[in-house]
Amino acid sequence: MNDTVSSEAWPAGMQRVAAALAAFGHPHAPVKLDDAARTAQQAADALGVALGQIAKSIIFRRKSDEAAVLVVTSGDLRVDEKKVQALVCADGGKLGRADAEFVKGKTGFSIGGVSPLAHSTPPVTLIDAQLFRFADIWAAAGHPHGVFRLTPDDLQRFTGAPVHDVTVVPPVA
């Protein structure tokens, strides 16, 4: 981890996230990792934390209005698209997968570095209740090398997003 790099040298996405965190009075600035953390597992390994402590940002496309739908969930879980669709699509509307161009165009971030905040266009956002298993979580800071620490309560306060159960229930063994 390299948190000594001047924020002026950070990519634009990280600078946006850092400015948003500062505006919230958040005590933890983003840190720049030595290696890219494009997946939750890579981020957990780089930080030495549990996979579930990584708050991964998954973007979907709401087909009715082309809105970006952001689901922030634990890195050790999979999003249940049907649950998300029931929460954010009225009158039987559908969710679709978001490709890299859609994600970049709607959020201002590239896949692998999508932050849960400081989007160029505010998305419809949901927070998975399973993140609240952890006191501290880590989220992408607008770039594959950038992350920042926060609590699940901070995440909810910063995004104003509702908390729901939006993950796949693992089968009982």
Side-chain angles (χ1 to χ4, degrees), residues 145-162:
H145 285 262
V147 293
F148 67 98
R149 189 172 109 197
L150 72 167
T151 68
D153 288 327
D154 289 336
L155 178 64
Q156 188 176 20
R157 187 167 40 92
F158 297 164
T159 63

Side-chain angles (χ1 to χ4, degrees), residues 8 36 57 59 76 82 88 94 114 131 137 142:
E8 293 85 38
S57 295
I59 299 287
D76 61 343
K82 288 184 183 355
V88 302
K94 301 287 184 194
V114 176
L131 279 170
I137 57 176

Side-chain angles (χ1 to χ4, degrees), residues 125-128 156 159-164:
T125 304
L126 300 174
I127 298 170
D128 182 45
Q156 188 176 20
T159 63
V163 176
H164 291 281

Side-chain angles (χ1 to χ4, degrees), residues 116-127:
L117 51 105
H119 292 240
S120 53
T121 303
V124 175
T125 304
L126 300 174
I127 298 170

Side-chain angles (χ1 to χ4, degrees), residues 16 59 68 102-110 114 118-121 123:
R16 254 190 5 253
I59 299 287
F102 179 86
V103 172
K104 180 74 170 179
K106 293 289 186 175
T107 69
F109 303 120
S110 296
V114 176
H119 292 240
S120 53
T121 303

